[in-house]
Amino acid sequence: MCDAQPTREQQLQRILTPLQRFIKAENIVTSVEALRAYECDAFTTMRQLPLLTVLPDTIEQVQQIMRLCYELDIPVVARGAGTGLTAGSMPVENGLLLSMTKFDRILDIDIANKTALIEPGVRNLAVTQAAAPYNLYFAPDPSSQLACSVGGNVAENAGGIHCLKYGLTVHNILELDVITIEGERLTLGGASLDAAGYDLTALFAGSEGLLGVIVGIRVKLLAKPASARVLLCGFDSIENASHAIAHIIAAGIIPAGLEMIDHTGINAIEELMHAGYPIDAAAVLICELDGSIEEVEDELTRVMSLLEALDAANIQISNNEEEKARIWAARKAAFPAMARLAPDNYIMDGTIPRRALADVWQRINQLADEYQLLVVNVFHAGDGNMHPSILFDAMDADQHHRAEELGTRILELCIEVGGTISGEHGIGLEKINQMCLQFTEAEIQQFHAVKAAFDAKNLLNPGKQIPTLARCAEFHAMHVHQGEMPFPHLERF
Amino acid sequence: MLDIQDLTAQVQQAAATKSPLQIRGGGSKHFYGAATSGTPLMMAEYQGIINYEPSELVITARAGTPLKEIEQLLAQQGQMLGFEPPRFSDHATLGGTVACGLSGPRRPYAGAVRDFVLGVTLINGQGQRLKFGGQVMKNVAGYDLSRLMCGALGTLGVLLDISLKVIPKPHYEETRVLSASFPQMQSLLADIGLQPVPVSATLQHEDQLYIRLSGAQGGVREAIQRIGGDTLADSDSLWHNLKEQQHAFFQQPAPLWRVSIPPMAPAIPDSLYDGQILTEWGGALRWLYSQQGEQIQQWAKAQGGHATCFRNPMAGTHIFTPLPAALLALHQRLKARFDPEHIFNIGRIYPDL
Ligand SMILES: Cc1cc2nc3c(=O)[nH]c(=O)nc-3n(C[C@H](O)[C@H](O)[C@H](O)COP(=O)(O)OP(=O)(O)OC[C@H]3O[C@@H](n4cnc5c(N)ncnc54)[C@H](O)[C@@H]3O)c2cc1C
Ligand SMILES: Cc1cc2nc3c(=O)[nH]c(=O)nc-3n(C[C@H](O)[C@H](O)[C@H](O)COP(=O)(O)OP(=O)(O)OC[C@H]3O[C@@H](n4cnc5c(N)ncnc54)[C@H](O)[C@@H]3O)c2cc1C
């Protein structure tokens, strides 16, 4: 029996002894009950227990942990707040889960340069709160901003309601302090607007913890606009709602936010929040305009006339902060509102050219009928980022299977119209098969090659984000509809 | 037109024989970066706009397309490139612009090249044609290899097709001129920076400060009240001359340094440069002439930034600020993963890269 895999217990002992030399016992979690808290992120249908969880509280400790894991060939998965939607921070078997929650300090707010130096575990909203006394804020605002960490935002290149105008996380960071799998500390980017060498800050944004562990972030802060008003209106057809998006953008207006909610979504949200959304509408559009007072009034008038021409009804416009907050709070409650409709929710994140909006939206509804599942669409319409949520019950194996199939069909549709399978949530493990639909073998190999430049032993979040070629071959073999590949015109292998 | 098959074949041939290539766009930024040698790979013929839909705010074009042509097309639709790239010549190509990663006066307020690149098709060092990113505003499928190409000076691959996000032209622009020394500029900008003032460019030189304001007319007017100064009549030519370095300041034959640091970093010590400094980007970009490159680079680094010898380097100058050893080693590994036979634009950024 000498070639048997080491047991979990044996693996644990290998790492525990050296680890305990520099990490306090209270920051090492090994009991199975306590590890349950780390077995999944917000995509709860995929779970895996880690070998152990470690909560370092200094950068030196992170370096030492990395060196140890490198030496012992133990995989490392970084975890922020665990709000990811794609099993990105789900542990890997026999791997170490590196929880970054103790890195929760805002180290410096540089008012003059409008930047903040923060640790990766700081919650997204905490940055804006700390900057508020100076009339500054951190622009990326995912709906999860109360809970998610900025380290997680960088690793996912998270977006939010206001990224249409103010950009994604990648546009709002200047510098990253990272630790490589070999325990080396590197500074990427700088306090300046550009840096010498390759743009590794941009490469790290959205790299899902596969290239290194982020231990420090210099973010940009923006001055709060003098005025911001939110307009909400209903449409009785998906076509008109989609046209409204195209017309606003074509008029040269870039709203701070431009969101859409479908009929089912409106009703689910209204039931939970009583925000005054028009429950009969086929779709609700929310448009925030910001800037100087005059600018906002001017754009508001122009947007109103565009909307009226498209038969928008129930137009509401916020007159104060409270009304604005009420409209947005309801939008941001979409997730819990849907949770009341079904036990499980499979959120798609495909992004498409805006011109395809009405078409794709309708075809998604047709697909939902075909698979006999309820799909709710609450999404960032302004940048074409669809979020169809497939509602199902994972306890029902058949429903679960249909939900997965439907998800794949929806993402294929997004690729077909020139879009992508993920706009902001990332790939993780949840969408890894669909990567095989979007990229060719050579492209996937190039991704692996980039990873190898950072992590030759493939120890950082292994198995996530970039599928192996074997996995793709298997996926393609299984994913054949009635003996025929879907969309045979798409380049694939 | 030059086709992709040809280009790919040239790269494969070069890889097979391990013979270096120098990727040539329009030759407009010939002066920039370190010299490289090798067989030229001519991109200027690989041109043409592939797709432009104004309501999508996206343009896709072949790398050899003249920048001028792209900007003219956008202007017809009331749109523009947000990063306001310098051309330095009518021959400047889109590929060279992205490869150099240079952005103009609007950069701090609108974003850099890398902020607008949505996707690229490229040929890697094995002669494979690869597509990363796309034509949509948000895309996190796989690593963001298209942004990585920005500023890589063609050392990682040959850019074929590039998709860029474009922005609507501002409705209204006005430039104010006031007299202000460098410290006066810093305190004025620090003060107004905490308010959402629609500044879209600044220039400070010889105790004059120029501030360009862009946006809705009302917003610009409001800002003018706060800033003061006088309206500059022919402002377009000022910003054009600045962007294209046709301003008198840039005409000296000495080593010209580009110092990129936080905007509120202190004034550069007098002892480090000759003559006057020209400051853009609200203080974040400073141009000066100096024979003391190494000291300038050290000083910039201490401020959290870097310095590049932009024109007329002296023999032996490190054109780009040298990287710490571990970071340079990472650059080399990354380069080797794109260009295993070491054929693309060798030495353009750093020797051995
Ligand atoms: C209700 C709800 C609403 C949401 N709304 C949005 C939205 O509007 N927009 C949006 O973009 N996302 C949204 N999300 C998804 C999620 O909040 C984001 O992806 C967020 O950025 C994840 O941050 P986190 O700290 O929870 O990271 P985790 O879930 O803990 O980790 C995410 C990934 O980041 C990596 N990671 C975390 N920290 C580090 C680090 N320090 N160094 C290296 N890698 C690290 C992990 O390994 C993992 O791959 C939503 C999620 C929920 C539950
Ligand atoms: C006729 C001629 C002769 C030259 N002779 C020499 C010489 O002997 N020695 C020497 O050192 N230099 C020489 N140069 C300049 C040399 O080619 C430049 O260093 C460099 O190529 C920048 O100019 P460019 O032609 O690419 O122009 P630009 O368009 O300004 O390109 C700037 C940068 O972008 C890169 N680039 C351009 N297009 C792409 C693309 N599609 N994909 C990836 N990268 C791209 C270029 O390689 C260059 O680094 C010569 C240039 C010309 C036009």
Side-chain angles (χ1 to χ4, degrees), chain A residues 41-42 76-90 98 100 120-122 141-145 147-161 168-169 204 207-210 212-215 217 331-332 335-336 347 349 380 385 387 423-426 428 461 464, chain B residues 138:
Chain A
D41 64 4
V76 179
V77 179
R79 179 183 170 103
T83 70
L85 291 170
T86 57
S89 62
M90 186 186 84
L98 189 71
M100 298 303 286
V122 172
D141 59 344
S143 304
S144 51
Q145 69 184 145
C148 64
S149 74
V150 182
N153 295 162
V154 174
E156 298 287 14
N157 192 15
I161 283 167
L168 303 158
T169 304
F204 246 72
S207 65
E208 302 193 14
L210 273 79
V213 173
I214 301 159
V215 294
I217 308 162
R331 160 65 184 87
K332 289 189 181 180
F335 199 73
I347 305 187
D349 180 37
H380 310 304
N385 188 189
H387 281 330
E424 59 178 20
H425 294 166
N461 216 357
K464 310 283 180 66
Chain B
K138 295 160 105 175

Side-chain angles (χ1 to χ4, degrees), chain A residues 113 194 354-355 420 443 453, chain B residues 56 131 139 260 264 333:
Chain A
N113 286 308
D194 43 40
R354 277 182 286 260
R355 61 172 178 276
T420 174
E443 286 156 359
Chain B
E56 293 290 325
K131 187 164 177 278
N139 191 347
S260 176
M264 297 300 153
R333 291 198 302 273

Side-chain angles (χ1 to χ4, degrees), chain A residues 255-312:
Chain A
L258 195 54
E259 299 281 307
M260 193 80 87
I261 307 174
D262 73 2
H263 180 75
T264 321
I266 299 165
N267 284 275
I269 289 174
E270 198 46 33
E271 225 162 89
L272 180 69
M273 301 296 289
H274 311 289
Y277 284 15
I279 53 172
D280 296 330
V284 150
L285 177 134
I286 306 175
C287 173
E288 178 170 318
L289 299 164
D290 73 358
S292 71
I293 294 168
E294 281 191 51
E295 196 173 356
V296 172
E297 297 316 303
D298 172 56
E299 287 188 344
L300 203 54
T301 316
R302 290 163 62 204
V303 168
M304 286 282 282
S305 70
L306 291 172
L307 295 178
E308 276 159 7
L310 290 166
D311 298 328

Side-chain angles (χ1 to χ4, degrees), chain A residues 113-114 135 170-171 191-194 198-199 224 292 294 354-355 385 420 422-424 443 446 449 453, chain B residues 53 56 107 114-115 124 131 138-140 143 155 193-194 196 218-219 258 260 263-264 304 306 331 333 337:
Chain A
N113 286 308
K114 292 198 278 182
N135 202 44
V170 68
H171 301 110
S192 45
L193 287 171
D194 43 40
Y198 297 145
D199 195 338
K224 264 190 234 154
S292 71
E294 281 191 51
R354 277 182 286 260
R355 61 172 178 276
N385 188 189
T420 174
S422 180
E424 59 178 20
E443 286 156 359
Q446 184 67 68
Chain B
E53 273 179 70
E56 293 290 325
R107 191 269 173 257
R114 58 91 105 163
D115 295 316
N124 69 6
K131 187 164 177 278
K138 295 160 105 175
N139 191 347
V140 293
Y143 304 120
T155 58
L194 298 181
R258 175 191 188 273
S260 176
M264 297 300 153
H306 66 114
H331 276 64
R333 291 198 302 273
R337 294 294 178 164

Side-chain angles (χ1 to χ4, degrees), chain B residues 103-126:
Chain B
S103 306
R106 205 177 294 268
R107 191 269 173 257
Y109 317 98
V113 189
R114 58 91 105 163
D115 295 316
F116 290 92
V117 168
L118 298 176
V120 301
T121 308
L122 58 84
I123 306 176
N124 69 6
Q126 296 167 73

